[in-house]
């Protein structure tokens, strides 16, 4: 999966950069782990967007392509529903 942000060294510290534009998008910090935590959060936010639920079609805020059902449909989904041809 493409991650739009990456951690790179910046001066005497570390910062988050946009991969495409190579622009620095965070403040410089002295700890690489702090910069990596910020990068993970920024990449997570970049994947979030409004998508339609695959079951009911209602728009909801999805965490990424893996998250395609709204919470209401996810709670109501039974993986062992015999009508779907699955059984225990």
């Amino acid at each position: 999966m493409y991650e739009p942000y990456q951690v790179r060294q910046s001066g005497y510290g570390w910062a988050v950069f946009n991969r495409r534009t190579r622009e620095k998008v965070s403040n410089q910090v002295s700890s690489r782990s702090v910069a990596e935590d910020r990068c993970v959060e920024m990449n997570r936010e970049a994947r979030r967007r409004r998508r339609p639920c695959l079951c009911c079609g209602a728009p909801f805020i999805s965490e990424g392509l893996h998250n395609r059902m709204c919470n209401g449909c996810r709670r109501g989904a039974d993986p062992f529903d015999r009508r779907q041809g699955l059984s225990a």
Side-chain angles (χ1 to χ4, degrees), residues 19-86:
R19 284 185 193 267
R20 188 172 46 83
T21 64
R22 300 180 185 204
E23 175 184 349
K24 185 164 61 168
V25 293
S26 76
N27 294 331
Q28 180 177 322
V29 293
S30 60
S31 170
R32 182 180 178 121
S33 64
V34 171
E36 287 175 349
D37 290 344
R38 179 67 181 132
C39 183
V40 166
E41 183 61 33
M42 291 175 77
N43 282 323
R44 183 178 297 132
E45 286 296 320
R47 288 189 300 267
R48 289 182 60 145
R49 58 182 50 121
R50 186 172 295 276
R51 291 186 171 92
C53 174
L54 291 178
C55 290
C56 68
F60 72 105
I61 300 297
S62 167
E63 295 293 324
L65 290 176
H66 66 280
N67 179 217
R68 299 303 301 269
M69 289 172 61
C70 68
N71 289 336
C73 290
R74 187 174 306 281
R75 276 192 297 273
D78 181 4
F80 300 106
D81 188 349
R82 295 187 193 283
R83 291 171 292 164
Q84 296 178 5
L86 303 173

